[in-house]
């Protein structure tokens, strides 16, 4: 057979089997128990439809596309100024944060940007992640050759910072001199948050150790607690060390429409190996203008409508809807005698398995006994073992029924 030189990093990555294994076990259960009413609290996708203000804005944009005078072809790679201005005003300046529209890059979602950001860093960079973690951070670094070799469920060049019951789900600062640190708050999968003082420790660490923090705040809209920062740039000097990733997916139901943005502040300047100061924003702009042709005009008009007064109210009601579900789930698991965190500032409840039961065993138990689909915590990293994640993204009725089943169970 002819051979071809492939990217060996891809060949080293273990098969990602978390959601496919969940799907396979659920399919098997349903075929054996066709009468069972299975409720999914598993996958992190939303269920509420797109808010009317957004739908109307996209209809108008579609009509513009159908007429020669208002047609839009290729747009600016960085995103249309109308959307970047709306973001800068509502998500930053209104919160007293000095972020400029020029620092904002519109994309087709946070996942792409989180994966692509590695393009502007060397494959020699050392990476630290909290554990359990959104798998995209680890796998994209493995693809880029930064992760080393997989050993016992971990990559040997990545530093894992465990968030466990013992440390109150506040991971320790790195000890292995990383260059790049991934933080996700509110956290997926644990649903936990960092206070302003706790986040400040990370920013201070990054300044002192010349690291870049990738701050994923996809769940920012779910924050209710007052002392929890919505943006890392609320912390003094964070604009010198942090790139922030945001998404309209969980905030406004854009999981299918696809739109998000990344903030690379002008102040984020590091010295390269020759001692020259480099502005990361310039590199990211170069990367985007070369490899990305922008998010769709129609979708960006839809995203802009999130910031209209109707849009803010309607999407706010959707977030409240899910958070009511989260509150109900948290109450149910606790009244069933289980320990849990999250569910207050995030649409996820992180549930400790009963004594002596591992993540997959508890997954099977919840499916077999209560006909509920969860996500095994071990799929998010070694420190996720012994937990399952429940999502608040199902409908009110299905979540209420799931909560009743959990309350009636004995663990
Ligand atoms: C859902 C999610 C995202 C958003 O991804 P999109 O590509 O914008 O849909 C990013 N980070 C985390 C942790 C998520 O759970």
């Amino acid at each position: 057979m002819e051979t071809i030189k492939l990217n060996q990093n891809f060949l080293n990555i273990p098969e990602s089997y978390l959601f496919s294994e969940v799907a396979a076990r659920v399919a098997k259960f349903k075929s054996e128990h066709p009468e069972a009413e299975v409720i999914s609290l598993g996958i992190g996708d939303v269920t509420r439809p797109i808010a009317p203000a957004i739908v109307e804005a996209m209809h108008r944009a579609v009509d513009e596309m159908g007429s020669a005078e208002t047609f839009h072809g290729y747009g600016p790679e960085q995103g249309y100024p109308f959307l970047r201005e709306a973001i800068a005003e509502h998500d930053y300046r209104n919160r007293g944060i000095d972020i400029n529209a020029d620092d904002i890059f519109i994309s087709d979602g946070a996942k792409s940007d989180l994966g692509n950001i590695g393009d502007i860093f060397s494959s020699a960079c050392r990476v630290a992640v909290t554990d359990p973690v959104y798998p995209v951070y680890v796998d994209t670094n493995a693809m880029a050759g930064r992760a080393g070799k997989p050993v016992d469920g971990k990559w040997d060049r990545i530093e894992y910072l465990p968030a466990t019951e013992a440390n109150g789900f506040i991971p320790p600062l790195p000890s292995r001199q990383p260059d790049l640190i991934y933080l996700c708050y509110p956290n997926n999968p644990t649903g936990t948050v960092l206070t302003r003082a706790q986040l400040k420790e990370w920013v201070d660490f990054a300044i002192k150790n010349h690291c870049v923090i990738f701050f994923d705040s996809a769940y920012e809209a779910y924050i209710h607690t007052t002392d929890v920062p919505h943006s890392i740039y609320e912390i003094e000097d964070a604009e010198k060390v942090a790139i922030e990733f945001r998404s309209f997916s969980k905030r406004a139901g854009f999981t299918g429409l696809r739109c998000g943005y990344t903030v690379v502040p002008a102040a984020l300047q590091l010295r390269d190996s020759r001692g020259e100061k480099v502005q990361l924003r310039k590199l990211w702009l170069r990367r985007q203008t070369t490899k990305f042709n922008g998010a769709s005009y129609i979708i960006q008009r839809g995203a802009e409508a999130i910031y209209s007064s109707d849009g803010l109210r309607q999407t706010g009601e959707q977030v409240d809807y899910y958070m009511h579900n989260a509150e109900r789930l948290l109450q149910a698991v606790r009244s069933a005698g289980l320990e849990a965190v999250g569910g207050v500032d995030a649409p996820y409840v992180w549930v400790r398995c009963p004594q002596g039961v591992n993540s997959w065993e508890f997954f099977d138990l919840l499916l077999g006994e209560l006909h509920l689909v969860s996500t095994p915590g071990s799929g998010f990293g070694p420190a996720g073992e012994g937990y399952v994640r429940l999502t608040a993204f199902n409908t009110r009725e299905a979540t209420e029924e799931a909560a009743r089943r959990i309350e009636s169970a004995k663990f």
Side-chain angles (χ1 to χ4, degrees):
M1 204 157 66
E2 295 300 316
T3 62
I4 179 109
K5 293 191 179 69
L6 296 169
N7 180 342
Q8 188 62 35
N9 298 321
F10 277 72
L11 309 180
N12 294 342
I13 298 177
E15 208 60 48
S16 157
Y17 78 117
L18 177 63
F19 288 104
S20 55
E21 178 64 18
V22 167
R25 291 193 191 200
V26 172
K28 179 166 181 285
F29 179 81
K30 282 181 175 171
S31 77
E32 288 165 4
H33 305 86
E35 76 299 340
E37 194 204 321
V38 175
I39 296 176
S40 177
L41 305 172
I43 240 158
D45 199 357
V46 296
T47 50
R48 307 308 297 156
I50 298 300
I54 300 168
V55 172
E56 285 159 25
M58 290 193 296
H59 275 298
R60 286 193 297 273
V62 168
D63 288 340
E64 284 181 56
M65 286 301 210
S67 146
E69 292 74 44
T70 50
F71 165 78
H72 284 77
Y74 287 125
E77 292 95 341
Q78 194 173 345
Y80 282 99
F82 62 77
L83 179 55
R84 291 192 283 120
E85 287 293 347
I87 291 166
E89 180 188 339
H90 289 272
D91 289 348
Y92 295 100
R93 283 201 294 273
N94 285 358
R95 292 189 172 277
I97 304 167
D98 183 24
I99 288 291
N100 199 300
D102 291 344
D103 302 333
I104 295 166
F105 294 75
I106 309 299
S107 71
D108 62 350
K111 189 182 191 176
S112 331
D113 284 357
L114 283 159
N116 294 332
I117 195 72
D119 277 12
I120 65 170
F121 295 93
S122 159
S123 59
C125 282
R126 291 268 183 182
V127 172
V129 296
T130 60
D131 171 27
V133 74
Y134 182 54
V136 174
Y137 314 149
V138 171
D139 289 358
T140 56
N141 278 292
M143 289 172 182
R146 277 187 281 267
K149 293 184 298 296
V151 181
D152 297 335
K154 289 190 190 182
W155 293 88
D156 64 358
R157 268 190 104 247
I158 291 184
E159 181 171 6
Y160 292 73
L161 308 165
T164 61
E165 201 180 310
N167 58 29
F169 298 92
I170 308 300
L173 292 168
S175 60
R176 279 164 52 179
Q177 289 286 330
D179 302 292
L180 310 173
I181 302 171
Y182 289 81
L183 294 180
C184 174
Y185 288 99
N187 189 261
N188 176 11
T190 65
T192 56
V193 289
L194 294 183
T195 63
R196 214 164 254 113
Q198 287 162 342
L199 185 56
K200 183 174 185 317
E201 290 189 31
W202 290 86
V203 171
D204 291 347
F205 177 90
I207 291 170
K208 189 157 167 265
N209 295 281
H210 310 289
C211 314
V212 174
I213 296 176
F214 298 143
F215 192 75
D216 181 350
S217 56
Y219 298 94
E220 169 275 331
Y222 291 81
I223 294 171
H224 285 77
T225 304
T226 45
D227 193 30
V228 173
H230 286 246
S231 162
I232 193 168
Y233 306 121
E234 288 179 41
I235 310 297
E236 197 186 342
D237 288 337
E239 68 281 0
K240 296 177 183 161
V241 288
I243 296 176
E244 181 159 287
F245 300 86
R246 295 241 191 142
S247 169
F248 298 115
S249 287
K250 318 298 164 39
R251 166 192 196 161
F254 274 50
T255 53
L257 291 176
R258 312 300 311 138
C259 196
Y261 65 87
T262 292
V263 183
V264 190
L268 180 42
Q269 302 187 10
L270 298 175
R271 292 199 185 276
D272 68 11
S273 48
R274 293 167 308 181
E276 309 268 349
K277 268 205 165 173
V278 180
Q279 196 181 38
L280 294 193
R281 192 177 76 176
K282 258 177 93 172
L283 298 192
W284 183 241
L285 181 64
R286 188 73 171 87
R287 190 268 170 212
Q288 289 298 79
T289 51
T290 301
K291 292 197 186 181
F292 184 58
N293 250 338
S296 136
Y297 173 73
I298 297 164
I299 301 301
Q300 291 192 62
R301 280 294 183 199
E304 180 193 26
I306 296 170
Y307 298 100
S308 66
S309 57
D310 283 345
L312 287 171
R313 183 176 42 78
Q314 291 162 1
T315 54
E317 283 166 6
Q318 294 182 341
V319 167
D320 290 346
Y321 178 100
Y322 295 131
M323 285 315 289
H324 181 95
N325 288 348
E327 200 180 313
R328 186 69 187 89
L329 286 174
L330 187 60
Q331 179 193 30
V333 292
R334 285 186 176 156
S335 80
L338 295 167
E339 285 174 35
V341 292
V344 177
D345 295 300
Y348 296 117
V349 178
W350 187 242
V351 184
R352 176 92 188 253
C353 303
Q355 198 68 35
V357 178
N358 74 25
S359 294
W360 277 109
E361 289 164 352
F362 195 42
F363 169 91
D364 285 336
L365 198 139
L366 288 172
L367 181 60
E369 303 287 321
L370 305 183
H371 309 166
L372 299 181
V373 181
S374 59
T375 307
S378 53
F380 297 100
E385 181 57 273
Y387 292 85
V388 298
R389 187 191 74 175
L390 303 182
T391 86
F393 284 134
N394 212 320
T395 61
R396 176 69 37 86
E397 298 70 30
T399 305
E400 185 54 46
E401 170 61 20
R404 275 196 294 268
R405 291 184 197 170
I406 292 168
E407 282 166 343
S408 69
K410 292 202 176 46
F411 296 105

